[in-house]
Amino acid sequence: MSMPPRGGAAPPLLTAGCIVIFAIAFLFELERWPGALKAGEVPAHTDQLTPQPMTLTERSSSLIPMPAEVPSAHASSMARLPGGDVIAFWWAGSRESGPDVKVYAARWSDGSWSQPWEVASRESLGAALNFGVRRIGNPVAWTAPDGTVHLYVVATGLGGWAASRVVQLASTDEGRNFGVKRLLPMSPLFNTSVLVRNAPVALADGGWWLPVYFELGVKYPQMLSFDKHGKPGRMTRIGSRTSTLQPTIVPFSGSEVHAWMRDGDEQRVQHAHSKDGGVSWSDMPALDLPNKNTSLSALRLSNGAVVMLHNHVMPGGSDRNMLRLSVASDARTWTRLVDVVHGKAGEEFSYPDLQQVGDQLHVTYTSRRSAIAHHVFDIGTQGSL
């Protein structure tokens, strides 16, 4: 009796079966890529943007309390809570990619920060996902219209950040406790190499767009849509460049949407534009703003102004020793409002985030890789102060 061969090529039926399974998965994946928008899947701000002259006056600045004996902190993200409070998230540990890195949160209420609490760790995410988590990265927060706080956390199994996956967590008690909802369906190839950094954009139907980016060999920005219940839907690539990442997205009207990206090639802020409400995107020339591979954050204010917090580079300075808040007169022309922080060459102030609460602008950023700084600015109009 002959014995089946050992090693060698896989049996034809097994090979064919694998091909069929992959093809079916790929076809299902394609359904999530650009197509017609669903009803209501347009930016919440559908009125044409009309910028107004404005002023910013700093009300307070402080450092968010850190966990005890945790020397490194980075990548903050804020979300507004019902009632006007703010919740901030960041990762902290011995160093970036360290095995002890965890995601922490603190709450801003009545003009001060609470003590931090732990939100997620390698152990808690691994137990919920049933696979080993090697490292934790950027968190991004969003509060849905029903008050649920959604938190997106970068996590890797094997490999470096190019092997990243994004975990979606949710809290129904204003961030006190979180449960894992899902591993986001980001890529048909092992669902890896996609990360998050910047805040989502509200949609008219209660859903939101989450800016994401792909980073494996090439780098490019994307956005993933969610319905009002936090279920992921369409994935859209932003432009066709292959050297930009960490998009920040701002609607100028119901159909006109702009995105600006971190750049490691031309060393200027990169720009993309959509004329059909985010369905398709065109690359625009880079802005006349320096960007030496550093993260930035932009926000449309209720007064119609669009502001951007970014690392400006001065003669004799370094890539991340200065954060400047600029305001747009249009999507391409920016002027200085205020320098939020300016340190010595070699110091790091980076990864900014912006949130408006009432007539105040909240700013957070990484301070010297050891803490998260927080500033509050009063928003005024020229001539009102």
Side-chain angles (χ1 to χ4, degrees), residues 14-365:
L14 178 60
T15 301
C18 290
I19 293 173
V20 169
I21 292 172
F22 180 83
I24 292 173
F26 189 75
L27 289 173
F28 274 108
E29 181 70 15
L30 286 178
E31 290 186 357
R32 300 195 305 116
W33 286 77
L37 291 174
K38 295 180 180 178
E41 193 187 331
V42 295
H45 298 288
T46 56
D47 54 310
Q48 183 67 38
L49 187 144
T50 53
Q52 301 294 322
M54 61 174 293
T55 60
L56 288 178
T57 304
E58 187 170 83
R59 174 176 289 270
S60 67
S61 64
S62 62
L63 297 178
I64 299 177
M66 290 287 293
E69 300 181 359
V70 178
S72 182
H74 193 41
S76 59
S77 175
M78 292 179 286
R80 290 171 293 178
L81 295 176
D85 287 357
V86 174
I87 188 168
F89 300 86
W90 69 96
W91 66 251
S94 58
R95 56 179 173 81
E96 183 172 342
S97 302
D100 60 345
V101 165
K102 299 177 181 179
V103 174
Y104 293 91
R107 182 169 181 150
W108 173 265
S109 183
D110 295 327
S112 64
W113 286 101
S114 71
Q115 289 300 307
W117 66 90
E118 180 183 321
V119 172
S121 66
R122 294 194 315 157
E123 293 75 20
S124 67
L125 293 183
L129 297 169
N130 294 315
F131 68 80
V133 174
R134 182 183 179 190
R135 66 184 74 190
I136 291 177
N138 301 341
V140 167
W142 179 253
T143 302
D146 65 0
T148 300
V149 179
H150 294 265
L151 184 66
Y152 303 95
V153 177
V154 173
T156 72
L158 299 175
W161 294 126
S164 294
R165 300 176 177 183
V166 179
V167 184
Q168 182 182 5
L169 303 91
S171 170
T172 57
D173 57 6
E174 299 188 351
R176 297 178 184 88
N177 298 280
F178 280 88
V180 171
K181 288 183 69 70
R182 61 178 59 87
L183 195 66
L184 290 186
M186 304 289 249
S187 166
L189 297 177
F190 308 109
N191 201 28
T192 61
S193 306
V194 181
L195 300 88
V196 294
R197 164 62 197 121
N198 279 310
V201 175
L203 300 179
D205 62 0
W208 56 93
W209 287 333
L210 175 68
V212 302
Y213 58 100
F214 181 87
E215 186 176 4
L216 179 60
V218 297
K219 304 172 183 178
Y220 54 83
Q222 302 168 281
M223 67 180 193
L224 178 61
S225 67
F226 288 81
D227 67 17
K228 63 181 180 180
H229 305 294
K231 181 180 178 181
R234 294 187 320 114
M235 179 82 88
T236 305
R237 179 166 174 172
I238 299 174
S240 58
R241 288 190 177 95
T242 57
S243 63
T244 62
L245 63 161
Q246 297 178 345
T248 181
I249 301 172
V250 173
F252 276 49
S253 69
S255 58
E256 182 184 0
V257 188
H258 292 266
W260 300 278
M261 279 72 64
R262 169 179 174 173
D263 175 59
D265 191 4
E266 295 183 59
Q267 297 195 347
R268 292 190 294 165
V269 174
Q270 295 293 342
H271 181 200
H273 176 215
S274 173
K275 296 181 179 180
D276 53 14
V279 175
S280 61
W281 292 80
S282 300
D283 293 319
M284 303 289 287
L287 301 183
D288 189 23
L289 293 176
N291 183 268
K292 295 188 176 181
N293 206 20
T294 60
S295 185
L296 56 144
S297 178
L299 180 68
R300 174 175 171 160
L301 302 180
S302 59
N303 65 6
V306 174
V307 293
M308 178 189 295
L309 189 55
H310 57 102
N311 283 110
H312 188 64
V313 182
M314 296 285 286
S318 55
D319 297 355
R320 301 187 179 193
N321 75 314
M322 180 180 183
L323 278 170
R324 171 166 290 181
L325 195 59
S326 299
V327 62
S329 54
D330 55 46
R332 299 197 52 78
T333 307
W334 298 79
T335 56
R336 173 188 174 274
L337 266 177
V338 63
D339 292 335
V340 175
V341 61
H342 189 178
K344 299 177 182 178
E347 289 187 297
E348 179 176 348
F349 306 101
S350 63
Y351 274 54
D353 190 38
L354 299 168
Q355 282 287 341
Q356 181 178 2
V357 180
D359 59 358
Q360 294 182 333
L361 178 65
H362 289 250
V363 169
T364 59
Y365 58 88

